[in-house]
Amino acid sequence: MADIHEFRAQMRRQAEDLASKVMASDPGQRLLALYEQLGERDRLALRMLGWFGSAVVLYFLTIAPLVAHVESAARRLEGERSLLAWLQSHEAEAGSGAPASSARDEPLATVVNSTADQEGLSIRRYEPAGDDGVRLWMEAVSFNALVKWLFVLEGSHGIRASEFTIERQDEPGKVSVRITLRG
């Protein structure tokens, strides 16, 4: 508790020192002279304007960014909850260990491209990886959509990720990824 009182006292001394330096300067003296020439009502109006300006600055520097951050976190949370609900609704398929349909009529690259399009993912580049694999590169894709897509590939088509490299992007929820799929 003593630390808080010491801190307050130190801050008060620093504010008083700064105010005295400003008032001792030539522009500070001119402003003080102008203020003293004002009538009592004008001084009151000027003080009220100063408090209002301080409140506006305080709002835009602290409260508005906090509100924006909370709203952003709430949107992210809602997206995570919807992904969790989807994963839980498909838990039985994932727990079986066997793909829903291991026999495919289409080539691996065709299945990968069509399912990626269905999930709104764009593949930047892909190349064959052995006889039964394909290597993919994606940039700035939604992490949630990527997880859902990989789940669909494994659960419905028997295609699994054998190698996986993921990098976070500056935009929240976005990643760049390099994946090798086999199946």
Side-chain angles (χ1 to χ4, degrees):
M1 196 66 148
D3 291 338
I4 293 174
H5 293 296
E6 289 176 26
F7 177 74
R8 283 184 182 170
Q10 182 182 6
M11 292 303 291
R12 181 172 288 133
R13 282 192 304 272
Q14 288 179 353
E16 289 171 356
D17 289 345
L18 180 62
S20 65
K21 287 179 184 177
V22 168
M23 287 302 158
S25 69
D26 189 42
Q29 288 295 319
R30 281 188 266 157
L31 283 176
L32 185 59
L34 286 173
Y35 179 77
E36 289 175 354
Q37 289 175 0
L38 295 175
E40 188 58 36
R41 292 179 110 191
D42 291 337
R43 287 182 191 177
L44 177 64
L46 190 58
R47 284 193 302 268
M48 296 298 285
L49 183 62
W51 281 107
F52 177 75
S54 299
V56 168
V57 167
L58 177 70
Y59 174 79
F60 282 109
L61 290 179
T62 59
I63 297 170
L66 288 174
V67 169
H69 181 71
V70 166
E71 290 172 352
S72 172
R75 284 191 303 272
R76 267 195 330 268
L77 178 63
E78 187 58 36
E80 298 294 330
R81 283 184 177 164
S82 68
L83 175 63
L84 177 63
W86 186 87
L87 288 173
Q88 287 174 338
S89 70
H90 291 81
E91 186 175 17
E93 293 173 27
S96 67
S101 63
S102 58
R104 286 191 313 273
D105 295 335
E106 301 177 86
L108 178 65
T110 304
V111 172
V112 167
N113 277 328
S114 65
T115 56
D117 287 342
Q118 290 171 0
E119 295 300 326
L121 299 170
S122 61
I123 299 172
R124 182 176 62 103
R125 179 177 142 203
Y126 67 96
E127 62 186 34
D131 294 336
D132 66 339
V134 64
R135 189 171 295 119
L136 309 170
W137 286 263
M138 297 180 186
E139 291 185 359
V141 296
S142 166
F143 178 76
N144 292 346
L146 177 69
V147 170
K148 187 176 177 183
W149 175 65
L150 290 171
F151 186 80
V152 167
L153 283 176
E154 185 172 345
S156 300
H157 304 284
I159 300 170
R160 292 180 177 228
S162 64
E163 296 177 27
F164 195 90
T165 304
I166 189 166
E167 295 176 6
R168 182 188 312 197
Q169 298 296 299
D170 292 335
E171 186 178 348
K174 298 289 184 176
V175 295
S176 288
V177 64
R178 186 176 65 228
I179 308 173
T180 301
L181 299 171
R182 301 217 180 269

